[in-house]
PDB file of all heavy atoms in Angstrom:
ATOM      1  N   ALA A 275     -51.294 115.903 -13.511  1.00  0.00           N
ATOM      2  CA  ALA A 275     -52.312 115.326 -14.441  1.00  0.00           C
ATOM      3  C   ALA A 275     -52.064 115.830 -15.887  1.00  0.00           C
ATOM      4  O   ALA A 275     -52.145 115.050 -16.890  1.00  0.00           O
ATOM      5  CB  ALA A 275     -53.677 115.706 -14.048  1.00  0.00           C
ATOM      6  N   LEU A 276     -51.764 117.056 -16.029  1.00  0.00           N
ATOM      7  CA  LEU A 276     -51.358 117.652 -17.397  1.00  0.00           C
ATOM      8  C   LEU A 276     -50.203 117.111 -18.019  1.00  0.00           C
ATOM      9  O   LEU A 276     -50.097 116.551 -19.278  1.00  0.00           O
ATOM     10  CB  LEU A 276     -51.121 119.251 -17.224  1.00  0.00           C
ATOM     11  CG  LEU A 276     -52.425 120.111 -16.994  1.00  0.00           C
ATOM     12  CD1 LEU A 276     -51.930 121.503 -16.576  1.00  0.00           C
ATOM     13  CD2 LEU A 276     -53.343 120.122 -18.308  1.00  0.00           C
ATOM     14  N   ARG A 277     -49.153 116.797 -17.193  1.00  0.00           N
ATOM     15  CA  ARG A 277     -47.956 116.178 -17.482  1.00  0.00           C
ATOM     16  C   ARG A 277     -48.252 114.753 -18.033  1.00  0.00           C
ATOM     17  O   ARG A 277     -47.710 114.289 -19.035  1.00  0.00           O
ATOM     18  CB  ARG A 277     -46.804 116.100 -16.598  1.00  0.00           C
ATOM     19  CG  ARG A 277     -46.318 117.579 -16.206  1.00  0.00           C
ATOM     20  CD  ARG A 277     -44.879 117.470 -15.782  1.00  0.00           C
ATOM     21  NE  ARG A 277     -44.561 118.874 -15.209  1.00  0.00           N
ATOM     22  CZ  ARG A 277     -44.351 119.885 -16.121  1.00  0.00           C
ATOM     23  NH1 ARG A 277     -44.439 119.721 -17.336  1.00  0.00           N
ATOM     24  NH2 ARG A 277     -44.080 121.119 -15.437  1.00  0.00           N
ATOM     25  N   ALA A 278     -49.036 114.069 -17.160  1.00  0.00           N
ATOM     26  CA  ALA A 278     -49.381 112.584 -17.553  1.00  0.00           C
ATOM     27  C   ALA A 278     -49.951 112.532 -18.888  1.00  0.00           C
ATOM     28  O   ALA A 278     -49.933 111.547 -19.618  1.00  0.00           O
ATOM     29  CB  ALA A 278     -50.216 111.964 -16.435  1.00  0.00           C
ATOM     30  N   ALA A 279     -50.862 113.684 -19.204  1.00  0.00           N
ATOM     31  CA  ALA A 279     -51.617 113.652 -20.447  1.00  0.00           C
ATOM     32  C   ALA A 279     -50.743 114.178 -21.710  1.00  0.00           C
ATOM     33  O   ALA A 279     -51.234 114.406 -22.698  1.00  0.00           O
ATOM     34  CB  ALA A 279     -52.816 114.479 -20.362  1.00  0.00           C
ATOM     35  N   GLY A 280     -49.501 114.443 -21.304  1.00  0.00           N
ATOM     36  CA  GLY A 280     -48.537 114.927 -22.292  1.00  0.00           C
ATOM     37  C   GLY A 280     -48.732 116.437 -22.640  1.00  0.00           C
ATOM     38  O   GLY A 280     -48.053 116.937 -23.524  1.00  0.00           O
ATOM     39  N   GLN A 281     -49.405 117.186 -21.767  1.00  0.00           N
ATOM     40  CA  GLN A 281     -49.672 118.624 -22.162  1.00  0.00           C
ATOM     41  C   GLN A 281     -48.626 119.427 -21.340  1.00  0.00           C
ATOM     42  O   GLN A 281     -48.930 120.113 -20.382  1.00  0.00           O
ATOM     43  CB  GLN A 281     -51.082 118.927 -21.633  1.00  0.00           C
ATOM     44  CG  GLN A 281     -52.109 118.216 -22.439  1.00  0.00           C
ATOM     45  CD  GLN A 281     -53.449 118.661 -21.923  1.00  0.00           C
ATOM     46  OE1 GLN A 281     -53.731 119.777 -21.737  1.00  0.00           O
ATOM     47  NE2 GLN A 281     -54.468 117.572 -21.877  1.00  0.00           N
ATOM     48  N   HIS A 282     -47.384 119.223 -21.785  1.00  0.00           N
ATOM     49  CA  HIS A 282     -46.254 119.899 -20.957  1.00  0.00           C
ATOM     50  C   HIS A 282     -46.206 121.385 -21.052  1.00  0.00           C
ATOM     51  O   HIS A 282     -45.873 122.025 -20.011  1.00  0.00           O
ATOM     52  CB  HIS A 282     -44.851 119.343 -21.512  1.00  0.00           C
ATOM     53  CG  HIS A 282     -44.775 117.899 -21.181  1.00  0.00           C
ATOM     54  ND1 HIS A 282     -44.688 117.327 -19.889  1.00  0.00           N
ATOM     55  CD2 HIS A 282     -44.897 116.697 -21.932  1.00  0.00           C
ATOM     56  CE1 HIS A 282     -44.572 116.025 -19.956  1.00  0.00           C
ATOM     57  NE2 HIS A 282     -44.797 115.620 -21.162  1.00  0.00           N
ATOM     58  N   ALA A 283     -46.640 121.994 -22.136  1.00  0.00           N
ATOM     59  CA  ALA A 283     -46.657 123.480 -22.156  1.00  0.00           C
ATOM     60  C   ALA A 283     -47.650 123.931 -21.294  1.00  0.00           C
ATOM     61  O   ALA A 283     -47.447 125.000 -20.445  1.00  0.00           O
ATOM     62  CB  ALA A 283     -47.055 123.899 -23.660  1.00  0.00           C
ATOM     63  N   ALA A 284     -48.947 123.325 -21.152  1.00  0.00           N
ATOM     64  CA  ALA A 284     -49.928 123.835 -20.226  1.00  0.00           C
ATOM     65  C   ALA A 284     -49.532 123.618 -18.730  1.00  0.00           C
ATOM     66  O   ALA A 284     -49.770 124.423 -17.966  1.00  0.00           O
ATOM     67  CB  ALA A 284     -51.327 123.050 -20.445  1.00  0.00           C
ATOM     68  N   ALA A 285     -48.840 122.454 -18.480  1.00  0.00           N
ATOM     69  CA  ALA A 285     -48.326 122.189 -17.211  1.00  0.00           C
ATOM     70  C   ALA A 285     -47.307 123.354 -16.775  1.00  0.00           C
ATOM     71  O   ALA A 285     -47.388 123.720 -15.663  1.00  0.00           O
ATOM     72  CB  ALA A 285     -47.717 120.795 -17.117  1.00  0.00           C
ATOM     73  N   ASP A 286     -46.354 123.611 -17.674  1.00  0.00           N
ATOM     74  CA  ASP A 286     -45.360 124.619 -17.445  1.00  0.00           C
ATOM     75  C   ASP A 286     -46.061 126.028 -17.013  1.00  0.00           C
ATOM     76  O   ASP A 286     -45.582 126.720 -16.138  1.00  0.00           O
ATOM     77  CB  ASP A 286     -44.440 124.804 -18.656  1.00  0.00           C
ATOM     78  CG  ASP A 286     -43.512 123.584 -18.770  1.00  0.00           C
ATOM     79  OD1 ASP A 286     -43.429 122.692 -17.820  1.00  0.00           O
ATOM     80  OD2 ASP A 286     -42.913 123.495 -19.965  1.00  0.00           O
ATOM     81  N   ALA A 287     -47.008 126.324 -17.913  1.00  0.00           N
ATOM     82  CA  ALA A 287     -47.687 127.465 -17.691  1.00  0.00           C
ATOM     83  C   ALA A 287     -48.450 127.589 -16.392  1.00  0.00           C
ATOM     84  O   ALA A 287     -48.401 128.638 -15.554  1.00  0.00           O
ATOM     85  CB  ALA A 287     -48.617 127.830 -18.961  1.00  0.00           C
ATOM     86  N   PHE A 288     -49.045 126.502 -16.014  1.00  0.00           N
ATOM     87  CA  PHE A 288     -49.876 126.406 -14.711  1.00  0.00           C
ATOM     88  C   PHE A 288     -48.797 126.715 -13.643  1.00  0.00           C
ATOM     89  O   PHE A 288     -49.023 127.297 -12.545  1.00  0.00           O
ATOM     90  CB  PHE A 288     -50.620 125.201 -14.751  1.00  0.00           C
ATOM     91  CG  PHE A 288     -51.697 125.227 -13.596  1.00  0.00           C
ATOM     92  CD1 PHE A 288     -52.964 125.967 -13.759  1.00  0.00           C
ATOM     93  CD2 PHE A 288     -51.469 124.655 -12.459  1.00  0.00           C
ATOM     94  CE1 PHE A 288     -53.886 125.980 -12.778  1.00  0.00           C
ATOM     95  CE2 PHE A 288     -52.411 124.670 -11.439  1.00  0.00           C
ATOM     96  CZ  PHE A 288     -53.600 125.286 -11.605  1.00  0.00           C
ATOM     97  N   GLU A 289     -47.697 125.920 -13.724  1.00  0.00           N
ATOM     98  CA  GLU A 289     -46.696 125.955 -12.652  1.00  0.00           C
ATOM     99  C   GLU A 289     -46.202 127.411 -12.504  1.00  0.00           C
ATOM    100  O   GLU A 289     -46.087 127.827 -11.424  1.00  0.00           O
ATOM    101  CB  GLU A 289     -45.669 124.981 -12.989  1.00  0.00           C
ATOM    102  CG  GLU A 289     -44.556 124.908 -11.952  1.00  0.00           C
ATOM    103  CD  GLU A 289     -44.236 123.366 -11.650  1.00  0.00           C
ATOM    104  OE1 GLU A 289     -44.312 122.508 -12.524  1.00  0.00           O
ATOM    105  OE2 GLU A 289     -43.832 123.179 -10.536  1.00  0.00           O
ATOM    106  N   ARG A 290     -45.792 127.969 -13.665  1.00  0.00           N
ATOM    107  CA  ARG A 290     -45.332 129.346 -13.548  1.00  0.00           C
ATOM    108  C   ARG A 290     -46.297 130.427 -13.114  1.00  0.00           C
ATOM    109  O   ARG A 290     -46.020 131.107 -12.268  1.00  0.00           O
ATOM    110  CB  ARG A 290     -44.804 129.624 -15.066  1.00  0.00           C
ATOM    111  CG  ARG A 290     -44.094 131.029 -15.128  1.00  0.00           C
ATOM    112  CD  ARG A 290     -44.130 131.440 -16.543  1.00  0.00           C
ATOM    113  NE  ARG A 290     -45.453 131.564 -17.354  1.00  0.00           N
ATOM    114  CZ  ARG A 290     -45.652 130.979 -18.411  1.00  0.00           C
ATOM    115  NH1 ARG A 290     -44.804 130.352 -19.110  1.00  0.00           N
ATOM    116  NH2 ARG A 290     -46.836 131.224 -18.968  1.00  0.00           N
TER     117      ARG A 290
END
Side-chain angles (χ1 to χ4, degrees):
L276 287 168
R277 292 208 190 285
Q281 297 178 41
H282 293 289
D286 290 345
F288 194 81
E289 182 133 24
R290 180 192 65 226

